Amino acid sequence: MPVAARARFFPLFCGAEARNQLEIQRCHTLSKDHIAKAKTAMDKFLQSVESNPHRRDAAEPCYSLHEPGDLVYGTALVFHGFGQSPQQCQLLADYLFDNGFNVYQPCLARHYLGNPTLNWPQVDLKPELKEKIRQNFLKDPVLAKELYISAEDTMQRVRSLSPEMSDMIAALDQGDCSQDFQRFFESSHLDYFTEAEQRLEEVRALPGPIFAIGISMGGATALHLANTYPDTISKVVAYAPLLKTMDDARREFALAIGPLDVKETGWEPSLQFTVGCLVAIDLCGTRVSQSNIDNLAKKVATLLLFTANEDSADLPTQEKFAQRLKSISSDGVPHLHYTYRRELEVPHAMIHPNERPIANKLWRRMYQETFRFLTTGKARQDELDSLRQDETLPQVP
């Protein structure tokens, strides 16, 4: 794009209290000190990843910072989805960086490591309960062969594994705060949030507001950060946030067998993880959707994008969450959401144009409306289904 056409995105001064304003300017000057402090913090983490013997190939976190003296809007924290890597969000990260944002792309908790069964957050039964139930599971002629529900009596078989199975399933369904959850389970699922909070600390030295952006489990993580740090996170954009896994029957079966070390194959053929890893992200989504969200609703503007072509997240839960935000919101704090209609064929993993099984043909306008929202607090929801780019916004290559 010619320099003259980009001039409107380079204001020369900042208004007072710019961090909390909806309409922001590209006016925060990066200094050598800003960059040095942030790089020291981020590089310490990146070096620990690089030196880890379990490091997963092509899945390391990364960042893009502008040069000393450059003007920026602020910093975007961009979180990928479960089982993925920062590569999933690279096109969006490049677009935001090219148009005035510093960008940090952390990994979801320990997704920079291979061997998910060993390294990723998951939910386990306590040892004194686990082995007997697992042996009963493996002895069952139906359950040992089928990972997901395939017959009418499947859940009946699961419930018969132990007299306490129904209570265990109910404890997982209700979330991680009940006494029964503490009684039955050991879980590292909250590492998704604690590690994200650590990554947030690493960019605090950079000037300007901080924005949390994410897809699927990354979207739930972004919402958690904003609700927990509403005076730090300026705005949130969440694409298909995973607030509950879809299909109640399959979800119930996954909750039941997840803590039994039953294996699932991921999007990469070599990436095998226990179903307990899937239960972990469901618990995190449940925590976000069922939490007190007053901080988020009253202090942080949100843009939530959903799709009727969901194959992972529960759409009714997403839409109910969006309505809760609006009902609690303070005046002047916008909460925008849009659901792509089924015929538009936008997939759950909408952030990348070539995600399978269907491609998102509308990704360029989605990126533009993300930029518009981050810089103005507004979005043209009526244009999100357009193949045409808005000529008044930075163009998406």
Side-chain angles (χ1 to χ4, degrees):
M1 182 182 294
V3 173
R6 296 178 62 175
R8 72 186 66 194
F9 303 114
F10 287 75
L12 299 179
F13 58 88
C14 288
E17 304 295 332
R19 179 176 291 272
N20 297 318
Q21 290 180 346
L22 287 175
E23 188 163 353
I24 62 170
Q25 300 171 332
R26 185 171 177 175
C27 59
H28 301 279
T29 305
L30 270 176
S31 69
K32 290 182 179 179
D33 187 54
H34 291 142
I35 295 172
K37 287 181 178 178
K39 288 188 69 174
T40 296
M42 291 186 290
D43 286 346
K44 182 179 180 180
F45 172 60
L46 267 62
Q47 287 162 9
S48 72
V49 172
E50 181 68 26
S51 62
N52 194 303
H54 298 288
R55 180 172 58 87
R56 182 180 162 202
D57 291 339
E60 59 274 359
C62 55
Y63 60 80
S64 299
L65 301 180
H66 289 269
E67 297 295 324
D70 285 353
L71 298 176
V72 296
Y73 286 110
T75 300
L77 275 172
V78 183
F79 295 95
H80 62 81
F82 173 80
Q84 297 285 348
S85 73
Q87 297 263 353
Q88 183 184 35
C89 304
Q90 192 61 55
L91 291 178
L92 175 65
D94 290 344
Y95 175 69
L96 293 176
F97 176 75
D98 289 344
N99 292 287
F101 291 85
N102 291 316
V103 180
Y104 188 17
Q105 295 174 260
C107 288
L108 291 180
R110 297 189 294 284
H111 274 50
Y112 45 83
L113 302 178
N115 194 349
T117 299
L118 177 66
N119 293 309
W120 292 8
Q122 58 188 298
V123 180
D124 284 306
L125 273 173
K126 290 190 173 180
E128 60 268 26
L129 298 168
K130 182 175 183 177
E131 192 54 35
K132 182 179 179 180
I133 299 175
R134 176 170 166 77
Q135 290 305 316
N136 290 340
F137 176 89
L138 294 175
K139 291 176 184 176
D140 187 284
V142 174
L143 298 177
K145 295 180 180 179
E146 298 292 340
L147 177 60
Y148 285 116
I149 194 164
S150 60
E152 291 183 4
D153 70 337
T154 303
M155 278 310 300
Q156 183 178 345
R157 288 174 176 271
V158 170
R159 292 181 187 280
S160 69
L161 294 175
S162 166
E164 296 178 305
M165 279 303 297
S166 293
D167 290 340
M168 293 175 186
I169 297 168
L172 288 171
D173 183 50
Q174 293 164 11
D176 56 11
C177 296
S178 69
Q179 289 185 346
D180 275 350
F181 182 86
Q182 306 301 326
R183 179 161 65 100
F184 293 131
F185 300 104
E186 295 177 346
S187 181
S188 54
H189 66 285
L190 291 179
D191 290 355
Y192 279 107
F193 296 155
T194 55
E195 288 204 20
E197 291 167 13
Q198 292 166 3
R199 306 289 80 80
L200 172 62
E201 291 299 316
E202 292 163 0
V203 298
R204 282 187 184 271
L206 294 171
I210 299 174
F211 310 93
I213 302 170
I215 173 75
S216 191
M217 181 58 211
T221 301
L223 290 166
H224 164 81
L225 281 182
N227 195 42
T228 307
Y229 300 96
D231 296 321
T232 300
I233 302 297
S234 176
K235 298 184 181 81
V236 172
V237 181
Y239 309 101
L242 197 147
L243 305 177
K244 175 185 174 183
T245 50
M246 66 176 292
D247 188 330
D248 286 345
R250 290 169 66 92
R251 176 176 179 267
E252 183 183 36
F253 189 58
L255 293 180
I257 69 169
L260 300 177
D261 287 345
V262 178
K263 296 292 195 302
E264 165 72 292
T265 299
W267 294 264
E268 301 174 24
S270 61
L271 199 66
Q272 192 176 64
F273 47 81
T274 67
V275 181
C277 292
L278 298 176
V279 176
I281 61 172
D282 185 272
L283 280 175
C284 287
T286 298
R287 175 172 276 250
V288 172
S289 65
Q290 295 183 359
S291 291
N292 182 322
I293 57 172
D294 284 6
N295 282 338
L296 177 64
K298 294 178 180 179
K299 295 184 177 182
V300 184
T302 62
L303 174 63
L304 309 179
L305 300 183
F306 312 141
T307 177
N309 281 292
E310 268 295 350
D311 62 4
S312 299
D314 185 66
L315 179 59
T317 299
Q318 292 173 331
E319 293 182 328
K320 182 178 178 181
F321 183 80
Q323 293 302 325
R324 277 184 67 203
L325 285 174
K326 290 182 179 180
S327 68
I328 303 171
S329 176
S330 300
D331 290 342
V333 180
H335 295 290
L336 312 179
H337 80 276
Y338 177 80
T339 301
Y340 288 102
R341 302 183 308 279
R342 184 173 297 279
E343 62 267 25
L344 296 174
E345 297 187 331
V346 173
H348 170 77
M350 62 181 70
I351 201 166
H352 195 285
N354 295 324
E355 286 279 4
R356 292 176 290 180
I358 52 178
N360 181 9
K361 300 175 183 178
L362 306 175
W363 65 284
R364 288 186 174 87
R365 190 53 183 265
M366 187 179 78
Y367 285 15
Q368 284 194 309
E369 294 305 323
T370 297
F371 176 89
R372 189 199 304 274
F373 178 76
L374 294 178
T375 56
T376 69
K378 302 175 183 177
R380 292 283 303 275
Q381 289 128 295
D382 57 328
E383 292 291 333
L384 277 164
D385 60 358
S386 174
L387 291 169
R388 178 181 55 84
Q389 295 198 53
D390 188 326
E391 295 182 358
T392 68
L393 295 172
Q395 299 295 287
V396 182

